[in-house]
Amino acid sequence: MRAVLSDPHISLAHGNGGRFMRELIEEVFVRHLGAGNVDASADAVALDLGGGEPMITTDGFTVQPLEFPGGDIGSLAVHGTVNDLAVAGAKARYLTLNAFIEEGFESAVLDRIVASLAAAARACGVRVVAGDTKVLRRGEGGGVYFATTGVGVRLPGARPALDRIREGDAVIVSGTIGDHGTAVMLAREDFDLRGSLASDSASVAPLAESLLAFDGLRFMRDPTRGGIASVANEIRRATGLGLRFEANLPVAEAVQSVCDMLGYDPCYLASEGRVIAVVAPDQADAAVLALRGHDGGRSAARVGTVTGRGTRVTLRTELGGERFLEELEDDPLPRIC
Amino acid sequence: MRAVLSDPHISLAHGNGGRFMRELIEEVFVRHLGAGNVDASADAVALDLGGGEPMITTDGFTVQPLEFPGGDIGSLAVHGTVNDLAVAGAKARYLTLNAFIEEGFESAVLDRIVASLAAAARACGVRVVAGDTKVLRRGEGGGVYFATTGVGVRLPGARPALDRIREGDAVIVSGTIGDHGTAVMLAREDFDLRGSLASDSASVAPLAESLLAFDGLRFMRDPTRGGIASVANEIRRATGLGLRFEANLPVAEAVQSVCDMLGYDPCYLASEGRVIAVVAPDQADAAVLALRGHDGGRSAARVGTVTGRGTRVTLRTELGGERFLEELEDDPLPRIC
């Protein structure tokens, strides 16, 4: 294996605008992201959106550990931003990348993470066209933090938005919930548990695009920080309507076991490759079938209903009871994304 | 003065996707940036570029101290990105903002910095339309880090690019060099010096736009990290041509004194409100006059010449000698932007 950088660790000199910074950018970032994509010598680059309506989003990534079963901070930084565009009804085309790297960070780990980021970008069909690196003093970073900004174009079809949601609408999810949060938690040394669980981190673009074909699609979101309970509470705040989840919420057995053991509720745990959508009730079953046609949507299900004005967010239990899913206050799992 | 947040310090719960995060975003970010600009409930937002050719850039900001004479990390995060678009020949229209905030950071300081960021954005005519906040564990941040991504549209006029530079071209700067680097250095407690010096942090858009009117404009850059010496070495690497700076480089007297005292070279110190440009020799004097017509360009000057293939970057000294300005290796001043 060829040496990545002449220095096995990142130093402050890699952030100074001189030779070491150029080496870092060229040997790690440009090498993986493709010299034809990133012009390291340009202050700003032109985007070709083919006349489409541009949409933008941005997200920061601070997950710990940096690598976990099913992904790493690099692939997550692509999927998170691509997904924010997808659930807004847009196709991601371009990304920009900010890297904040801690002094002393291992060059080989950085190289591996950037390679993963580049592979995820290629798989999603997005080009990383601009970037910036900063080096943080030792003790003032967590290894590496990323921020990605995504630019895409709006797709034809439904225009999902919170204000389209109506009482009686159906709520569907594209797969099991809480896999990412649980996998990251287990990957931490704090917990003396090792499971076969993997993060669900993935692009939801194919799932979201298949939902856009339904004129009854009201709203989509990727339930990351705070999980589906937080999305439901956001809907409640924005619309005044409540939401009732049924007892059939898809939760992987291993996720449920870990949650039972440690006292977590999967409704509050992050997914990074799922969509929760609100759909007109008469199109819900067809929408679920459409999701199941994708590899990432095999366990899609209709899991709830939008309830009347002034009601709250609830979850029906298997014993037939119903409990409130309140807005999150404490942080069950910091640094999950 | 009204309380900014119910908690005087940022906690991990401000990053968890729940009520505290919403309060942070609404009470600090949306309040200053304008509810009409930022839609805190949207995953992605549409951009109106009026049919112009979109251009994009991104930059990270980790300056220490966070507040310094002439600016702070908030205003810097706007100027830095607006300026990268400006020197590429584009007018900034939209920004996205990522904030990485350290647990325990004072809410009031964050509020002041975001207010400054918002004021700078208004002054530059750019809207902050999307954002994300993450909270870093205590000891894993430097108070606050920002990343901003700017989207603009290409302006009519010259298309500055490195490959347009020719031997014999003139080099001009829009004002004194190294003010930002020196001001930030003095603001650090490490140095027991307090000067009247202020950062030059500002938008260079008016300066850059007036240079675009010259068809002899070859290339522009804002000399931030690594200063004008690093820009010159970048030109050399890209073109194979050298560059000779004359002894008349504009340096503020206070900057020169501090540099003499501490052994720094202003050619390597960052400016955050200056333009260095390469111009056809017959248009250089007119270009300098155009710059001087702006408040930020009063001390603009023609300061050098592009020299032949295989030559290096040099600086003529006042005694008539000439010394090399090598590519930067060590970092004279980390965390300057």
Side-chain angles (χ1 to χ4, degrees), chain A residues 15 19 22 41 43 45 47 54 56-58 60 98 132 134 139-140 145 149 221 225 327-329 335, chain B residues 19 22 41 43 45 47 54 56-58 60 98 132-134 139-140 145 149 221 225 327-329 335:
Chain A
R19 182 169 74 80
R22 179 165 56 82
S41 72
D43 282 297
V45 293
L47 302 180
I56 197 165
T57 189
T58 196
N98 298 91
D132 183 66
K134 289 287 183 294
E140 294 189 348
Y145 306 134
T149 300
R221 177 138 299 174
R225 271 185 290 187
E327 188 176 14
L328 204 57
E329 297 241 338
R335 303 281 299 278
Chain B
R19 182 169 74 81
R22 178 166 55 83
S41 72
D43 281 297
V45 293
L47 302 179
I56 197 164
T57 190
T58 195
N98 298 92
D132 182 67
T133 57
K134 289 287 183 294
E140 295 188 350
Y145 306 133
T149 300
R221 178 138 297 175
R225 271 185 290 185
E327 190 176 12
L328 203 57
E329 297 240 341
R335 301 283 301 277

Side-chain angles (χ1 to χ4, degrees), chain B residues 174-186:
Chain B
S174 67
T176 54
I177 59 170
D179 298 67
H180 175 74
T182 315
V184 168
M185 177 171 62
L186 286 184

Side-chain angles (χ1 to χ4, degrees), chain A residues 127-298:
Chain A
R127 289 172 52 195
V128 180
V129 286
D132 183 66
T133 57
K134 289 287 183 294
V135 178
L136 309 171
R137 273 189 297 223
R138 197 182 300 268
E140 294 189 348
V144 65
Y145 306 134
F146 286 130
T148 50
T149 300
V151 175
V153 291
R154 196 193 290 274
L155 290 166
R159 296 207 159 203
L162 281 165
D163 62 9
R164 301 192 61 210
I165 296 172
R166 298 286 175 269
E167 181 180 349
D169 282 349
V171 179
I172 65 183
V173 296
S174 67
T176 54
I177 58 170
D179 298 68
H180 175 76
T182 313
V184 169
M185 177 171 63
L186 286 185
R188 290 187 184 160
E189 291 178 282
D190 322 30
F191 296 97
D192 197 19
L193 283 167
R194 283 286 177 277
S196 61
L197 257 166
S199 167
D200 55 297
S201 177
S203 165
V204 302
L207 301 167
E209 284 176 36
S210 70
L211 291 178
L212 284 177
F214 292 88
D215 60 6
L217 174 68
R218 316 289 204 209
F219 176 73
M220 290 191 282
R221 177 138 299 174
D222 52 331
T224 60
R225 271 185 290 187
I228 63 163
S230 295
V231 175
N233 275 290
E234 194 177 347
I235 289 173
R236 179 174 176 241
R237 272 196 320 279
T239 64
L241 303 170
L243 203 153
R244 185 182 62 244
F245 288 110
E246 305 298 336
N248 70 330
L249 272 172
V251 181
E253 211 171 310
V255 169
Q256 191 62 60
S257 305
V258 171
C259 284
D260 289 345
M261 214 175 332
L262 298 174
Y264 290 110
D265 181 342
C267 293
Y268 290 93
L269 296 186
S271 301
E272 292 285 346
R274 307 293 183 224
V275 175
I276 174 170
V278 181
V279 184
D282 60 330
Q283 296 186 11
D285 293 337
V288 167
L289 279 179
L291 289 175
R292 288 187 180 162
H294 296 275
D295 279 341
R298 301 274 178 242

Side-chain angles (χ1 to χ4, degrees), chain B residues 48-97:
Chain B
D48 180 3
L49 299 174
E53 183 184 358
M55 295 191 75
I56 197 164
T57 190
T58 195
D59 212 349
F61 300 88
T62 63
V63 67
Q64 285 285 352
L66 299 170
E67 300 176 302
F68 46 82
D72 55 57
I73 194 169
S75 53
L76 194 64
V78 172
H79 295 147
T81 292
V82 164
N83 290 351
D84 281 347
L85 284 165
V87 296
K91 184 167 187 59
R93 291 278 190 84
Y94 297 100
L95 290 182
T96 66
L97 172 66

